[in-house]
Amino acid sequence: MSALKFVFSAAFAASLNTAVAADPAYIDKSLGAQTVRLPMLAGFPAACEESTSLAERAASLAPRSSNFVTCFAPTNKWRLFQEGKAADLYPYLTLTVDPPHPNGPFTAREFQQLRQATRARLDDLLTKSEAAQMNLQAQDARIAERGGDLKRENYRQKLSGFFDVPSKLESFSFLVSRSAKVSEAGASTAICEINAATTILYSGRLLRVSVIDDCSGARPGVRARAITAAWLNALSDLNAERK
């Protein structure tokens, strides 16, 4: 995979409307003893199911505290990317799942406590960019052990606000803007992204959804929020009898 094309670990509004109006296609994924249906929004295929190298790349950029599940990307970008004609996959979606909690499944009460704690502490945690930079360096070192040469420097992140997605699923979401100098395969560039991060309670497990977009445009984060809402509601509908 060439440099800088999937760094963090469109005519899209019509596709989102269609996805909400009709039952989307889906892929089945196992979460331990359970199977969950993951929606593929219209024009948003499961790119990591089509490409082992992309899945490995995305997994290498996922937090060590979670297990990577899959990723989705817009059709037009994904096809161009496969042909070597696209420099990025924005906006793309990644999904991870936390390991089972040692004390048993998460309860609704414990999830509300997690939500409250996140709201209380997140802004302070995100301002500690030095700790985040150290985590990225450790991640880059693990990638180097497998033959990669990704290097991220001057990392900065900032909380851009919380938002709620009306859904039958218990969840909470927030926006984080982040930037860094990224070098790989002899090329360097400045990256600016917005991450709509969502934590979902599903059958006692914590699913982590990130919709990652670039920071360009007059209203960064609007598209990421819209994709998040469409995907969460489709996830709820597809698994209405399974939760």
Side-chain angles (χ1 to χ4, degrees):
M1 178 173 296
S2 59
L4 311 177
K5 290 187 175 180
F6 199 108
V7 175
F8 293 108
S9 261
F12 206 76
S15 295
L16 289 179
N17 290 336
T18 300
V20 173
D23 290 337
Y26 63 86
I27 58 173
D28 284 322
K29 283 290 184 177
S30 296
L31 299 180
Q34 301 183 29
T35 301
V36 60
R37 291 176 175 176
L38 303 178
M40 292 190 294
L41 300 179
F44 217 69
C48 282
E49 302 302 304
E50 300 181 24
S51 170
T52 300
S53 61
L54 181 64
E56 291 174 347
R57 174 74 165 186
S60 72
L61 298 170
R64 296 193 76 181
S65 57
S66 293
N67 299 318
F68 177 76
V69 178
T70 195
C71 73
F72 303 82
T75 300
N76 58 337
K77 284 285 192 73
W78 174 227
R79 299 310 173 210
L80 290 173
F81 185 83
Q82 290 175 302
E83 298 170 4
K85 299 177 182 178
D88 62 69
L89 287 174
Y90 299 128
Y92 61 89
L93 182 153
T94 65
L95 177 68
T96 64
V97 59
D98 285 14
H101 196 278
N103 294 330
F106 255 81
T107 65
R109 179 180 179 182
E110 289 171 333
F111 188 77
Q112 291 304 318
Q113 292 173 340
L114 175 64
R115 182 207 302 265
Q116 293 168 5
T118 301
R119 282 183 172 269
R121 300 178 55 222
L122 185 62
D123 190 30
D124 180 58
L125 290 173
L126 289 176
T127 59
K128 299 177 180 178
S129 293
E130 290 184 2
Q133 179 67 66
M134 291 179 62
N135 288 334
L136 288 182
Q137 289 173 343
Q139 193 177 63
D140 292 349
R142 292 192 295 272
I143 292 173
E145 291 174 356
R146 296 191 294 272
D149 66 347
L150 177 66
K151 185 176 182 180
R152 290 167 288 183
E153 302 173 289
N154 303 325
Y155 182 75
R156 296 291 183 271
Q157 59 186 8
K158 181 181 179 181
L159 177 66
S160 297
F162 289 86
F163 66 97
D164 293 318
V165 176
S167 169
K168 295 177 182 178
L169 293 170
E170 291 283 345
S171 69
F172 60 87
S173 305
F174 53 88
L175 288 171
V176 175
S177 57
R178 57 196 191 184
S179 62
K181 176 187 175 183
V182 181
S183 303
E184 190 175 20
S188 297
T189 191
I191 295 293
C192 178
E193 297 180 332
I194 191 82
N195 178 14
T198 299
T199 300
I200 306 166
L201 178 63
Y202 182 89
S203 294
R205 299 288 296 275
L206 297 181
L207 305 183
R208 312 274 187 174
V209 179
S210 288
V211 177
I212 301 169
D213 204 355
D214 61 48
C215 290
S216 63
R219 301 172 66 193
V222 171
R223 182 166 63 171
R225 287 182 58 166
I227 296 170
T228 299
W231 198 86
L232 260 65
N233 279 288
L235 177 70
S236 178
D237 292 343
L238 284 170
N239 297 278
E241 298 178 359
R242 297 178 169 214
K243 299 191 293 292

